[in-house]
Amino acid sequence: MGDFSKFKPICVELLKTPSLEKLVKLKLLIIETENESIKQLQEYILFPLFIIISNEEFRNEKTLCAACNCVQEVCRNSTLKVYKIFSDFLLQFLLVVHSVNPTENLGKILQSEEVKLVSIESLLALLRSASSEVILELLSETSRLQLGHLVFTLLKVAANEEMKELRVSALDTLMELSCIPTTDLGSSLAGFFPGICTHMLKTINGSIKQSHFLTKRAVEVFSSWIRIILNNSRFQNAGKSDTEWLQRTRTNLHLVFEKMMKNSDMHWKVKLGITSLVAEVLEDCSVTLEPSLPLLIKKLVQFTADECLEVQEEAKKRITILSHSQTNFNSAVRQNLYDIVTCLPRIVTQGITHDQLVVLQELQGHLTLLGPRLEQSLIFSGLRQRLFKGLLISATLEPTKVTESDEPFSFQYLRENRVVSLFAACCFTIGRHGNLSDTSDYLLDVVRQKDSFDKESVYVMNLVLKGANVDPPVFTTVIKEYSTCLTHLSAGSKTDIIVGHLMLLVIGELAVRMGNDFSPLLITALKPVLEKAGNPEFCEAGIRSLQRMAKALQLSTVSQLLEENADYYAPQLSYQLQNIVRYPRAIDLLRALLMLSDIRMDYWLERMVQHALKGLDKNHSLRALPYVQVFELYSKAALKAKPAGPACAKPLSKGEAVSVEEVAQRIAEYKANIKLTETCFETENEVDAEEAEEIREFEVEQLKEEVISPPPQVNIVADILDRCTKILPQCIEEQLYAALMKTICLSVEVLSSHEDVFLPKVHKLWEPLKNQLLGTSHLKQKQALEVFLSLVRCCPDFIRHRAVREVIPKLVAFLQNQANASRGRSSRAHIASQAYKLQKLALSAMATVVEFLDPPVLEVVGIIQAISLYLSNKQVSELQNLAKENLIAIAKYHSGSVWLTLHSMIARRTFTRPGFPPIEVGTTDENSEFKSNAEELTKQLYPLIWS
């Protein structure tokens, strides 16, 4: 009773003379009073407030707002259990919000947004404080008009008012109404759903100036109402009327969804709301809204490629959750997937990066959404074939146009790294969720049929297998199939080169993933992979594959792998080497063994060489290439185990640095030799017959020791060089010519330690080599020049006279002519030409020629003048750098000639030194194209003179 005595005076006064001050006092009193007392006095307190709110004579806007605040406080602290009180207040608040005067004799309309706001907040408080009995009464058929009045008044405010807080409050009230915990809520609200859709669409697609918070809240409310009214559970046992209503409603709702999703001006927070709406509708209304599922799923997937990172992450998160749910939306996803893979080739081949990203992101999203159920969708006729056909066309590969690229292929349509990564992600998803056996069978069939997309099939297979879990039977099938295909690939076909690289990559990757389970497959895979590792076109990919195979078997090196598993290839290799013309690929296998293992193959190689020499002697112009390749391999093996022997003596170069101790030692040896000679002359006549005989015997023994026959390998290499020298003048085929030159180069390196064998062979080789060097084919000239440089390093004294007379003038003339041809040309076509490559090699070789051959001064001056032509700033920068490097190297031996040439190119200047007449040097041309490089070199080589 104590609390009643506190409220009685203020309530009585409010009934007599309502005022703002008294309402404020009542509000404070309500706040200070305990909840239990408010519950007991609820009707007593609300009665004067209802009188004030409902009676226009007693109120103004401020009084009405204060009365509404008091009602809100009462609702917060108590529960409304009497429907009559709830209904009366609800009606009065709705009339205020609806701007209609309840009295008939007054035409005044309340326009204040503050009054409407506080009224809607009071409605929200009423709903929150209403008991379950009151709510059930509100949702009953007898209160349907009042419920409809409430819903449409709130919808009208949310759609049409301008005040943000007012519209948000109306949406909050609608959300509260949709959250009522009762099973009949959907049935009660279903009749209002068309109006709800209309007003919500108007709110969501409002002006661009509209607050994004308001739009997002409208999306959340709309989502809640859809899931309540169109929940799957409501229509499990629906009658005919309900079914007809559902058909009409979801048709109209689909149009609403279409208009919502077409809005291109969404804020990123609104997109987050749309993402939640789509995910929640897919979860709760997958059956009732089946016609709209493709549209909703497509929008959700599109958000995974949104420019906003938060939207992307949320969309991907929702898709991942849905992929593991029990909701059945496979049909909708399959429908979208069919449309996507149908347009995928067209969009990708157009080459527009943005469109490629969009369509691949949609594909990835739909594949992820299906998740473990992907294979169920791919079973349907045509979808699997259409999907993989689109992927193969998108992954179209072409031979790379950039020679410096690590890979021999590039994508024809997928140019951006982002697009390639997204394409790979799609393939990973197929491997992760699809039936790996069916997928691999389809892609292997493309290779078996020699389809135009065989290389793309292998590329897609690699990505699919990367995404899949380890499946030994499938991996085994792929490895066996690709190992068989490798043996039929040709190094002369660009397509086969790409396919081979990809197959070797797949075999290596699968070997690592299989681990020790790969061991039984070595008998199938090792020999084909090893053959490709020995072929220059497949070498890098083959070596990488062998390294992965060694890693899979927990072996430290490829050499160990080959040594421990030699039984898998050795018997067949021995037979093939005896019939090398019939089995030319045995050369590749042997080349790989020489390159990658430490196995001694002297026996194999010697038998091969003897057979090859005999075959070449019979008819060296027919099928000569396999024999020459045998010679090349043997020369490489001999060079790896080069026997020790006296090297060809190289005289001390002019610029060679010699220590003081070494000079003193040479002088002492020279004096000792002179003294020994004089002593021999003085005592020659005194030596008796016995001593003379002993001396002769000693000299004979020394001669025998000196004339020791060379090792067998050297004799074989000498025979090889002799045969190659005979073939060289008649060689026309480029591949044979290249093999000959490599073999000759290797033979020269091996024989250089044995003068007696080496120099006669060089004499025979000189004339054919000179003819090739002075020919017209730049490619052949370049390869011949490499052999010539090898001779220059190995036997400079032996070839000095003929090289200075016959070769050097031609090289100098070539450099002079090419200097004019390359001046001002820096195009890719020119740099890729054989003439430019020969020019670059000849220019870089000049310092080596001067150092080893020590030509006469006049020849050196000609060389320096030819090199100086490349100091022009109009030459290719690479040639300028080579010219500077060569002049610096030549200056060590012919400093004066280099000084004179450089000072003829710098800006004119006068040198004065005490006791000497002044000297004028340089050019008067201030714009000389040689000046900058010449001055740079002069400062570097002659800093004292320059200063």
Side-chain angles (χ1 to χ4, degrees):
M1 293 299 295
D3 291 333
F4 176 75
S5 61
K6 290 192 297 184
F7 282 98
K8 181 179 179 180
I10 189 65
C11 290
V12 172
E13 290 179 8
L14 280 173
L15 288 172
K16 290 180 180 180
T17 54
S19 66
L20 180 61
E21 293 78 9
K22 293 174 184 177
L23 289 170
V24 172
K25 184 178 179 182
L26 177 61
K27 180 181 177 181
L28 293 174
L29 192 59
I30 294 171
I31 294 173
E32 294 172 357
T33 306
E34 295 180 357
N35 292 351
E36 288 299 325
S37 300
I38 297 297
K39 291 177 182 178
Q40 295 175 2
L41 300 172
Q42 183 191 79
E43 295 185 23
Y44 187 79
I45 298 171
L46 289 176
F47 179 72
L49 295 175
F50 176 75
I51 297 299
I52 294 172
I53 293 171
S54 61
N55 196 331
E56 187 70 24
E57 296 177 357
F58 296 145
R59 72 177 187 195
N60 54 34
E61 290 187 1
K62 292 183 178 180
T63 305
L64 180 60
C65 291
C68 290
N69 289 332
C70 292
V71 174
Q72 292 175 32
E73 290 298 329
V74 173
C75 292
R76 290 192 189 99
N77 297 316
S78 62
T79 302
L80 280 173
K81 298 182 179 181
V82 181
Y83 181 73
K84 183 66 171 67
I85 298 174
F86 174 84
S87 175
D88 291 343
F89 274 101
L90 181 66
L91 179 59
Q92 292 303 321
F93 289 140
L94 290 176
L95 291 175
V96 172
V97 172
H98 211 270
S99 302
V100 175
N101 192 344
T103 60
E104 297 180 359
N105 57 350
L106 293 175
K108 182 179 179 182
I109 298 178
L110 300 175
Q111 297 292 347
S112 172
E113 290 179 333
E114 287 75 11
V115 173
K116 294 181 181 180
L117 175 60
V118 75
S119 300
I120 292 203
E121 289 175 348
S122 301
L123 283 172
L124 181 58
L126 276 175
L127 288 172
R128 288 175 176 172
S129 66
S131 64
S132 58
E133 292 81 5
V134 172
I135 294 299
L136 288 174
E137 182 69 22
L138 176 65
L139 298 176
S140 65
E141 286 294 329
T142 56
S143 304
R144 188 172 182 80
L145 293 177
Q146 197 167 14
L147 178 61
H149 190 190
L150 171 63
V151 171
F152 284 105
T153 299
L154 294 173
L155 288 172
K156 179 181 177 182
V157 171
N160 300 325
E161 293 291 343
E162 295 183 358
M163 184 179 183
K164 171 189 169 183
E165 291 79 6
L166 177 58
R167 300 175 72 183
V168 171
S169 183
L171 291 172
D172 289 341
T173 308
L174 286 168
M175 178 63 81
E176 184 66 28
L177 185 60
S178 67
C179 294
I180 294 174
T182 175
T183 56
D184 297 332
L185 182 61
S187 301
S188 301
L189 299 177
F192 313 126
F193 193 63
I196 293 170
C197 294
T198 304
H199 286 81
M200 282 299 170
L201 178 61
K202 183 177 180 180
T203 305
I204 294 171
N205 284 358
S207 170
I208 193 173
K209 298 180 181 178
Q210 180 175 286
S211 168
H212 63 265
F213 178 80
L214 170 66
T215 308
K216 182 184 178 183
R217 190 59 174 162
V219 171
E220 294 171 352
V221 173
F222 193 32
S223 172
S224 178
W225 281 69
I226 291 173
R227 289 182 292 117
I228 289 171
I229 297 173
L230 296 174
N231 196 284
N232 292 335
S233 59
R234 281 196 60 231
F235 295 90
Q236 287 180 351
N237 300 312
K240 182 178 179 181
S241 59
D242 289 341
T243 304
E244 291 176 354
W245 178 88
L246 178 61
Q247 293 293 339
R248 293 193 305 270
T249 301
R250 65 184 184 182
T251 301
N252 296 329
L253 184 58
H254 183 76
L255 298 176
V256 173
F257 282 144
E258 284 183 342
K259 292 181 180 180
M260 281 178 55
M261 303 309 172
K262 288 180 180 178
N263 188 357
S264 59
D265 298 324
M266 289 184 187
H267 189 271
W268 68 269
K269 291 187 177 180
V270 177
K271 292 179 181 179
L272 290 177
I274 295 289
T275 303
S276 300
L277 179 147
V278 171
E280 291 165 355
V281 168
L282 287 174
E283 191 73 29
D284 297 336
C285 309
S286 59
V287 177
T288 55
L289 293 181
E290 185 177 359
S292 300
L293 294 187
L295 172 65
L296 298 176
I297 290 171
K298 184 175 182 180
K299 193 64 180 180
L300 179 61
V301 171
Q302 286 176 352
F303 281 151
T304 60
D306 194 80
E307 58 186 10
C308 178
L309 184 60
E310 288 82 355
V311 177
Q312 286 186 29
E313 293 177 351
E314 180 65 20
K316 290 176 182 177
K317 177 182 175 183
R318 293 284 186 171
I319 286 177
T320 304
I321 294 172
L322 286 171
S323 66
H324 294 92
S325 70
Q326 301 299 320
T327 307
N328 183 13
F329 43 77
N330 294 359
S331 177
V333 179
R334 188 163 57 247
Q335 178 182 336
N336 282 358
L337 194 59
Y338 195 89
D339 295 339
I340 291 170
V341 298
T342 300
C343 67
L344 177 64
R346 175 179 55 81
I347 293 176
V348 170
T349 53
Q350 287 175 353
I352 303 174
T353 301
H354 176 266
D355 294 346
Q356 291 174 344
L357 286 171
V358 170
V359 71
L360 287 173
Q361 191 68 56
E362 290 184 6
L363 177 60
Q364 166 67 358
H366 283 79
L367 294 173
T368 305
L369 194 57
L370 284 172
R373 295 165 293 190
L374 173 62
E375 188 56 33
Q376 299 176 10
S377 298
L378 293 181
I379 291 175
F380 285 84
S381 174
L383 183 55
R384 184 193 301 277
Q385 184 176 0
R386 193 171 287 255
L387 170 62
F388 284 107
K389 194 69 174 179
L391 291 175
L392 295 179
I393 294 175
S394 302
T396 301
L397 302 174
E398 60 182 1
T400 183
K401 298 177 182 178
V402 183
T403 55
E404 292 80 5
S405 176
D406 295 334
E407 300 292 345
F409 61 85
S410 60
F411 290 99
Q412 185 173 348
Y413 305 118
L414 308 180
R415 298 297 184 184
E416 294 286 338
N417 290 333
R418 295 178 298 163
V419 181
V420 175
S421 300
L422 194 52
F423 178 83
C426 294
C427 297
F428 293 163
T429 305
I430 294 172
R432 188 181 307 114
H433 299 304
N435 186 314
L436 192 59
S437 178
D438 292 345
T439 301
S440 61
D441 285 346
Y442 178 87
L443 295 174
L444 287 174
D445 283 341
V446 175
V447 177
R448 294 188 192 107
Q449 295 167 8
K450 296 294 182 181
D451 194 274
S452 56
F453 294 104
D454 51 354
K455 55 185 181 300
E456 290 79 15
S457 171
V458 182
Y459 180 81
V460 172
M461 174 75 85
N462 181 39
L463 297 178
V464 169
L465 294 176
K466 279 185 178 180
N469 296 323
V470 176
D471 190 340
V474 174
F475 286 10
T476 300
T477 302
V478 173
I479 290 174
K480 287 182 177 179
E481 191 73 30
Y482 284 177
S483 298
T484 304
C485 291
L486 281 175
T487 60
H488 300 97
L489 298 179
S490 169
S493 169
K494 292 183 178 180
T495 299
D496 283 0
I497 292 173
I498 297 174
V499 172
H501 273 257
L502 292 171
M503 285 183 174
L504 290 168
L505 174 64
V506 173
I507 292 173
E509 293 288 346
L510 296 184
V512 172
R513 296 187 64 188
M514 293 181 71
N516 290 326
D517 293 338
F518 177 72
S519 182
L521 296 173
L522 269 178
I523 193 170
T524 303
L526 183 58
K527 183 175 178 292
V529 173
L530 195 57
E531 281 184 2
K532 294 306 173 188
N535 191 305
E537 297 294 344
F538 304 95
C539 182
E540 292 184 8
I543 292 174
R544 286 199 296 266
S545 184
L546 288 170
Q547 290 171 344
R548 290 184 173 92
M549 291 163 67
K551 180 181 178 181
L553 300 176
Q554 299 179 357
L555 300 175
S556 57
T557 61
V558 174
S559 176
Q560 186 179 356
L561 171 70
L562 300 179
E563 291 172 11
E564 292 185 4
N565 300 280
D567 294 341
Y568 292 150
Y569 55 82
Q572 191 175 5
L573 177 62
S574 298
Y575 171 76
Q576 291 179 350
L577 292 178
Q578 295 174 13
N579 301 273
I580 193 65
V581 175
R582 293 175 58 192
Y583 302 100
R585 289 187 180 177
I587 298 293
D588 295 335
L589 196 152
L590 196 59
R591 187 183 292 115
L593 289 174
L594 284 172
M595 178 172 53
L596 299 172
S597 73
D598 298 327
I599 303 174
R600 292 187 59 82
M601 289 170 286
D602 298 346
Y603 175 72
W604 282 347
L605 288 172
E606 288 181 9
R607 290 187 62 187
M608 282 176 58
V609 171
Q610 296 297 339
H611 180 73
L613 289 172
K614 291 178 182 178
L616 209 56
D617 288 339
K618 291 178 182 178
N619 193 345
H620 59 258
S621 62
L622 183 64
R623 301 182 187 179
L625 182 59
Y627 298 122
V628 175
Q629 288 176 333
V630 171
F631 297 158
E632 180 187 347
L633 288 178
Y634 187 83
S635 301
K636 278 185 181 178
L639 188 61
K640 284 177 69 176
K642 185 177 179 180
C648 292
K650 173 181 174 296
L652 181 67
S653 299
K654 297 180 180 180
E656 186 176 349
V658 183
S659 62
V660 176
E661 294 79 4
E662 188 174 352
V663 173
Q665 183 180 355
R666 292 187 182 186
I667 293 173
E669 291 175 357
Y670 176 71
K671 290 180 178 180
N673 289 333
I674 293 176
K675 186 176 180 180
L676 179 62
T677 303
E678 291 175 350
T679 304
C680 289
F681 278 116
E682 290 174 359
T683 59
E684 183 176 1
N685 298 326
E686 301 175 2
V687 178
D688 56 12
E690 293 182 1
E691 291 177 347
E693 185 64 26
E694 290 178 0
I695 291 173
R696 280 194 297 273
E697 290 178 359
F698 176 74
E699 289 177 351
V700 169
E701 290 295 330
Q702 271 194 329
L703 186 61
K704 287 181 180 180
E705 290 178 2
E706 290 177 0
V707 186
I708 298 176
S709 60
Q713 297 95 325
V714 174
N715 292 328
I716 293 177
V717 173
D719 289 340
I720 289 173
L721 183 57
D722 193 33
R723 299 304 198 285
C724 292
T725 302
K726 291 180 180 178
I727 298 174
L728 186 59
Q730 305 173 18
C731 180
I732 299 175
E733 186 184 351
E734 288 187 2
Q735 190 176 0
L736 175 60
Y737 184 85
L740 277 174
M741 285 302 178
K742 289 179 184 177
T743 306
I744 291 172
C745 241
L746 293 169
S747 301
V748 167
E749 295 290 335
V750 173
L751 298 178
S752 62
S753 301
H754 305 273
E755 274 190 1
D756 294 341
V757 179
F758 178 47
L759 296 183
K761 301 300 179 185
V762 173
H763 179 72
K764 290 183 179 180
L765 175 65
W766 178 258
E767 196 64 28
L769 179 65
K770 183 193 70 172
N771 293 335
Q772 298 297 326
L773 192 60
L774 304 180
T776 57
S777 171
H778 293 315
L779 177 60
K780 292 184 176 181
Q781 284 179 296
K782 176 176 173 290
Q783 293 166 341
L785 181 57
E786 291 172 352
V787 176
F788 171 73
L789 292 176
S790 181
L791 293 177
V792 166
R793 296 186 188 95
C794 294
C795 53
D797 294 335
F798 186 72
I799 66 170
R800 178 180 292 112
H801 177 69
R802 62 184 88 183
V804 170
R805 185 184 61 188
E806 300 173 357
V807 176
I808 292 180
K810 301 294 183 180
L811 289 178
V812 171
F814 172 77
L815 287 176
Q816 290 172 342
N817 294 332
Q818 283 298 114
N820 295 326
S822 63
R823 184 172 174 270
R825 297 179 64 185
S826 58
S827 64
R828 286 188 177 183
H830 173 70
I831 292 175
S833 66
Q834 293 298 334
Y836 177 82
K837 294 176 181 178
L838 175 61
Q839 178 186 18
K840 188 169 65 171
L841 178 62
L843 184 60
S844 60
M846 288 298 101
T848 303
V849 169
V850 171
E851 177 186 356
F852 284 85
L853 294 182
D854 191 18
V857 175
L858 288 178
E859 298 292 339
V860 173
V861 170
I863 291 173
I864 294 173
Q865 289 178 349
I867 295 174
S868 66
L869 298 175
Y870 293 90
L871 294 178
S872 168
N873 56 19
K874 295 184 179 180
Q875 292 286 351
V876 181
S877 58
E878 187 178 17
L879 297 180
Q880 295 182 45
N881 294 331
L882 282 175
K884 289 188 281 188
E885 292 171 3
N886 276 267
L887 287 175
I888 291 172
I890 294 173
K892 296 178 182 178
Y893 312 102
H894 297 273
S895 178
S897 300
V898 175
W899 184 93
L900 185 61
T901 302
L902 291 178
H903 280 77
S904 67
M905 297 179 175
I906 62 175
R908 181 170 290 279
R909 60 181 299 182
T910 302
F911 290 112
T912 57
R913 289 293 182 270
F916 294 92
I919 303 174
E920 286 190 357
V921 297
T923 177
T924 57
D925 185 5
E926 294 294 331
N927 299 320
S928 173
E929 58 193 68
F930 303 94
K931 185 174 67 173
S932 59
N933 283 324
E935 290 181 354
E936 178 187 343
L937 278 177
T938 305
K939 290 178 183 179
Q940 183 177 350
L941 293 173
Y942 311 104
L944 295 177
I945 298 176
W946 182 264
S947 60

